[in-house]
Amino acid sequence: LGLASMSKPESTNVQRTVDCTCPSSTVQGSIDKKKDSTTIQTPPKHRMFDEDIVDDWAECNFVGCELNPLFVGYANGMARRWGINGKCQFLVSDANEFIDMIHRTYKGPISLVMIQFPTPFSLQKDEHDQRGNSHNSGNSQLPSNSLSGFMVTEALLQSVQCLLQRSDNGLLLLQSNCEDVAVAMRDIATRSGRLQILDVIDTVTADDTKVDISNLPQRTREWIDLGGDRAVGRGWSKKKLLPRRGRTETEVACISKGTPIHRCIMQARPPPS
């Protein structure tokens, strides 16, 4: 999970004293993240997404979290190598602890929150499984279903929505290479009514799904066989929404292999007047 903000001279330190022992699922942010001195100006008004999500990435600070300390060490090392560690930091943290820390230590607006390629839950085989009442075969280390153990929850997204409301144009990017996970994340986000789907220029259509199914990941093939909802129609973007240097290694690998990435953009609804 990553946050982006627009930098300006005035600063508020984000303290990196996070409890790293929380047993929640891994959170992954994009390769460019935010610095620990995080001050920002409110970003410009929302536009259609025919260009980058953020107008000027060079003016952004980024912070991301991940539970695996080896991954965090590698990411911070890459930031130092690229000379962007002054504005790009990664923390070892659970997603909920991370968002709580931002709420406590940083009071400015947030331009963008990114939830990318979270550890998937076990593929649900039927409607009974969707309620979490039966067992599935497969990797026993995965969260049992989208309602139990999965990192993306209504509570997490409500906290994200509160952060995004600090900005006139705060955005949420959801990405996954597991189609059922992408659909589940967006369903969870819209269920509370606090986040709204935004239109994109290059929308995924039904024709885009007419591909050689043998080239799709096994999980996606199983999801299609089960008749699961597809990441098609309003808000699902064919276009890559992050600049090249801001893409995660997972996204780069998927692009290289031709694996579909299911992505959408959401925005916090304004608070009731």
Side-chain angles (χ1 to χ4, degrees):
L1 186 146
L3 305 180
S5 66
M6 300 297 289
S7 61
K8 275 293 172 182
E10 166 188 21
S11 66
T12 304
N13 288 330
V14 174
Q15 301 171 14
R16 288 182 280 163
T17 53
V18 186
D19 180 2
C20 303
T21 62
C22 301
S24 301
S25 301
T26 296
V27 191
Q28 184 177 18
S30 82
I31 278 298
D32 284 337
K33 295 293 177 272
K34 174 184 170 184
K35 75 175 182 180
D36 38 353
S37 175
T38 72
T39 34
I40 52 240
Q41 66 182 19
T42 302
K45 295 292 184 180
H46 165 63
R47 65 209 183 321
M48 262 313 226
F49 295 103
D50 54 345
E51 299 178 5
D52 287 338
I53 300 174
V54 175
D55 283 327
D56 191 351
W57 291 93
E59 293 299 316
C60 284
N61 298 315
F62 301 87
V63 64
C65 72
E66 157 65 46
L67 275 178
N68 190 317
L70 294 178
F71 294 166
V72 171
Y74 173 79
N76 282 325
M78 290 300 297
R80 286 191 296 272
R81 180 181 299 180
W82 290 354
I84 57 174
N85 55 305
K87 62 194 307 179
C88 169
Q89 295 287 332
F90 297 86
L91 316 178
V92 178
S93 176
D94 147 77
N96 292 288
E97 288 288 326
F98 177 71
I99 292 297
D100 288 346
M101 180 198 68
I102 298 298
H103 273 297
R104 293 193 309 269
T105 61
Y106 174 65
K107 303 303 181 182
I110 302 294
S111 300
L112 175 67
V113 174
M114 297 167 279
I115 301 179
Q116 305 187 82
F117 310 101
T119 300
F121 44 81
S122 295
L123 181 64
Q124 306 305 297
K125 301 298 184 182
D126 54 41
E127 291 182 359
H128 187 63
D129 288 345
Q130 295 276 4
R131 296 191 294 271
N133 296 325
S134 64
H135 298 288
N136 282 306
S137 60
N139 188 342
S140 61
Q141 295 183 350
L142 295 179
S144 58
N145 55 65
S146 61
L147 303 178
S148 177
F150 184 45
M151 184 268 289
V152 181
T153 63
E154 284 194 49
L156 176 68
L157 292 178
Q158 286 174 6
S159 295
V160 166
Q161 180 258 353
C162 290
L163 282 180
L164 294 177
Q165 281 188 338
R166 298 178 183 178
S167 169
D168 289 344
N169 186 30
L171 302 175
L172 169 65
L173 169 65
L174 301 175
Q175 292 198 115
S176 178
N177 54 345
C178 301
E179 189 164 8
D180 61 303
V181 171
V183 169
M185 286 196 294
R186 197 169 85 162
D187 285 349
I188 294 168
T190 56
R191 197 149 53 217
S192 68
R194 295 170 180 261
L195 293 156
Q196 58 188 344
I197 300 166
L198 295 183
D199 292 321
V200 293
I201 292 292
D202 203 0
T203 304
V204 177
T205 67
D207 287 341
D208 295 315
T209 66
K210 296 175 182 177
V211 298
D212 184 353
I213 196 170
S214 65
N215 292 329
L216 298 176
Q218 179 180 345
R219 182 182 178 116
T220 298
R221 297 199 301 269
E222 292 182 5
W223 179 246
I224 293 171
D225 289 343
L226 291 168
D229 292 338
R230 307 299 305 277
V232 170
R234 183 179 179 233
W236 293 109
S237 177
K238 284 191 288 188
K239 175 179 166 54
K240 304 175 190 69
L241 296 174
L242 295 176
R244 183 181 59 83
R245 290 191 70 189
R247 296 170 194 161
T248 68
E249 289 191 339
T250 301
E251 182 170 4
V252 171
C254 287
I255 293 170
S256 176
K257 295 175 182 177
T259 303
I261 298 173
H262 311 283
R263 49 175 78 86
C264 67
I265 285 287
M266 307 189 77
Q267 190 171 38
R269 294 184 183 277
S273 53

